[in-house]
């Protein structure tokens, strides 16, 4: 595959073909990394990484059957379900996060979709976090257009809703909703004027062509998600984790690099699975164009490297937190 003209490195496109993305995945690793770095440097300072913190505001008891998720009632993981947190308790967590350098505060609730009464409480949380001067993100499941508008009015900056995997592999992972349901919520969020955070999970037993399909589905959305989280499966005790072979780190790095090349202006977020990675593997992810991480000890219910080890890694790699205005 010949190197493309320079403008292909820099201009966001939504007309990527499956063949083009498959060809990127198949590049020799050094060439793939060179291209990913070229794109990254055209749009971002490669020494800066945006830091988000994720708080589970309502854990477990979710009626959906996502095969990778410890919070599903269908997966016997022993996780104890909790009620929706009080607004003040959430704001106390947000204040502490801000003091440790976090610029975006994400709140996740394990729902198929929010009830309107619960949405009012979440909107109060969003308003409170915004008042602290932080960016806000929530993930609450499927939304109607009216609910998306209500969240926008509360000041919400980002809505996270992952497409999880390729359209073809989707039914092997989730049966209680369709790939199209995900796209419908993404459209409601985009129409409401909220930034989109949307990515997927790799290492769920999918093939490389499914990883091609995942990136193709993301990169051909009418507008690229502003934030693209790429997760490595953890989900201890879930059907996906019990039956899937571990994805080699280099395949994870390739997925990050192809996401970076195909969605040049998006923040590519290194998400779940980091605690399993060596410093060297994480460094490769940053070199492949990842420029956002979650900070703090837990990602919803998944262990995450503690803040101190993240700080030490940033120092070793010469990275610094991205200021809020560039996030
Ligand atoms: S991923 Fe979300 S929707 Fe699926 S089971 Fe977990 S909490 Fe529910």
């Amino acid at each position: 595959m010949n190197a493309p003209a320079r403008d292909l490195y820099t201009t966001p496109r939504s007309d990527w073909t499956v063949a083009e993305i498959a060809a990127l995945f198949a590049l020799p690793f050094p060439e793939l990394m060179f291209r990913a770095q070229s794109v990254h440097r055209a749009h971002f300072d490669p020494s800066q990484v945006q830091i988000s913190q994720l708080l589970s505001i309502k854990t477990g008891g979710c009626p959906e059957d996502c095969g990778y998720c410890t919070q599903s009632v269908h997966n016997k993981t022993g996780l104890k379900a909790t009620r929706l947190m009080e607004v003040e308790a959430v704001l106390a967590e947000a204040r502490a996060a801000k003091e440790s350098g976090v610029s975006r505060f994400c709140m996740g609730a394990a729902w198929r979709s929010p009830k309107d009464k619960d949405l009012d409480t979440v909107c109060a949380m969003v308003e409170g976090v915004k008042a602290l001067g932080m960016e806000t993100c929530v993930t609450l499941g499927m939304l109607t257009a009216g609910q998306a508008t209500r969240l926008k009015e509360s000041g919400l900056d980002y809505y996270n809703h992952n497409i999880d995997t390729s359209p073809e592999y989707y039914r092997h992972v989730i049966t209680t909703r369709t790939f199209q349901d995900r796209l419908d919520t993404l459209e409601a969020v985009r129409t409401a004027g909220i930034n989109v955070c949307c990515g997927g999970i790799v290492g769920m037993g999918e093939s490389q062509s499914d990883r091609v399909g995942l990136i193709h589905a993301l990169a051909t959305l009418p507008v690229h998600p502003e934030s693209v989280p790429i997760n490595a499966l953890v989900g201890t005790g879930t059907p996906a984790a019990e039956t899937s072979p571990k994805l080699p780190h280099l395949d994870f790095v390739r997925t990050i690099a192809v996401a970076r090349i195909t969605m040049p202006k998006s923040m590519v977020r290194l998400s779940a699975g980091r605690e399993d990675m060596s410093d060297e593997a994480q460094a490769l992810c940053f070199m492949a164009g990842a420029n956002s991480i979650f900070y703090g000890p837990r990602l919803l219910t998944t262990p995450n490297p503690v803040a101190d080890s993240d700080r030490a890694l940033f120092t070793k790699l010469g990275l610094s937190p991205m200021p809020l205005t560039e996030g």
Side-chain angles (χ1 to χ4, degrees):
M1 189 183 185
N2 293 327
R6 183 170 170 77
D7 64 342
L8 284 184
Y9 283 139
T10 54
T11 309
R13 303 165 46 201
S14 286
D15 61 351
W16 288 95
T17 66
V18 169
E20 282 177 306
I21 293 175
L24 289 172
F25 268 95
L27 282 172
F29 192 78
E31 176 64 23
L32 176 62
M33 294 294 275
F34 173 75
R35 293 198 195 182
Q37 289 223 339
S38 300
V39 172
H40 194 187
R41 284 157 189 266
H43 297 287
F44 297 100
D45 178 340
S47 69
Q48 291 188 342
V49 175
Q50 189 263 336
I51 300 175
S52 300
Q53 185 160 316
L54 177 57
L55 174 68
S56 180
I57 58 172
K58 187 267 168 191
T59 302
C62 182
E64 300 284 73
D65 72 347
C66 309
Y68 53 81
C69 182
T70 55
Q71 306 204 67
S72 166
V73 292
H74 301 268
N75 301 335
K76 305 295 172 225
T77 58
L79 185 75
K80 194 171 173 309
T82 65
R83 300 166 76 91
L84 181 61
M85 286 175 72
E86 300 287 336
V87 174
E88 212 18 75
V90 171
L91 297 186
E93 297 270 359
R95 275 183 217 105
K98 187 181 178 191
E99 278 165 25
S100 63
V102 171
S103 57
R104 186 181 305 166
F105 194 68
C106 308
M107 296 165 273
W111 290 319
R112 174 174 166 83
S113 53
K115 296 192 186 78
D116 286 343
K117 179 172 140 307
D118 290 331
L119 195 68
D120 289 342
T121 307
V122 173
C123 287
M125 294 171 184
V126 170
E127 284 163 13
V129 174
K130 282 292 281 186
L132 296 173
M134 302 172 87
E135 284 188 328
T136 53
C137 177
V138 296
T139 181
L140 312 172
M142 292 185 279
L143 293 184
T144 63
Q147 289 177 321
T149 302
R150 173 87 185 82
L151 284 164
K152 173 66 181 174
E153 287 167 355
S154 74
L156 184 68
D157 296 301
Y158 285 82
Y159 193 82
N160 165 261
H161 201 63
N162 292 333
I163 57 169
D164 301 322
T165 186
S166 69
E168 296 74 24
Y169 198 63
Y170 202 78
R171 65 192 167 83
H172 297 290
V173 181
I174 301 142
T175 66
T176 50
R177 58 165 188 267
T178 64
F179 196 81
Q180 186 59 47
D181 288 332
R182 300 309 263 184
L183 298 181
D184 291 347
T185 291
L186 290 172
E187 192 182 331
V189 169
R190 184 61 83 192
T191 303
I194 301 169
N195 293 314
V196 170
C197 172
C198 180
I201 305 169
V202 296
M204 297 195 292
E206 79 283 344
S207 62
Q208 176 146 305
S209 67
D210 289 311
R211 291 190 284 282
V212 170
L214 166 67
I215 299 296
H216 180 256
L218 292 167
T220 56
L221 286 169
V223 178
H224 292 163
E226 282 77 10
S227 200
V228 180
I230 303 291
N231 297 278
L233 177 68
V234 182
T236 310
T238 62
E242 297 300 304
T243 57
S244 307
K246 201 155 174 40
L247 186 75
H249 290 326
L250 287 181
D251 287 336
F252 184 79
V253 175
R254 276 187 188 274
T255 309
I256 296 267
V258 178
R260 166 51 64 224
I261 293 167
T262 54
M263 292 170 277
K265 292 190 172 179
S266 302
M267 306 294 293
V268 176
R269 176 169 298 156
L270 194 49
S271 295
R274 269 201 313 129
E275 90 289 351
D276 247 12
M277 291 180 195
S278 64
D279 285 358
E280 290 78 8
Q282 291 189 63
L284 279 177
C285 291
F286 292 126
M287 291 173 71
N291 61 348
S292 175
I293 60 163
F294 280 113
Y295 202 47
R298 295 197 84 72
L299 276 184
L300 293 178
T301 64
T302 302
N304 196 38
V306 293
D308 280 353
S309 65
D310 284 338
R311 274 191 213 105
L313 179 61
F314 271 39
T315 302
K316 274 186 240 174
L317 299 180
L319 299 175
S320 57
M322 187 178 289
L324 183 60
T325 49
E326 296 177 46

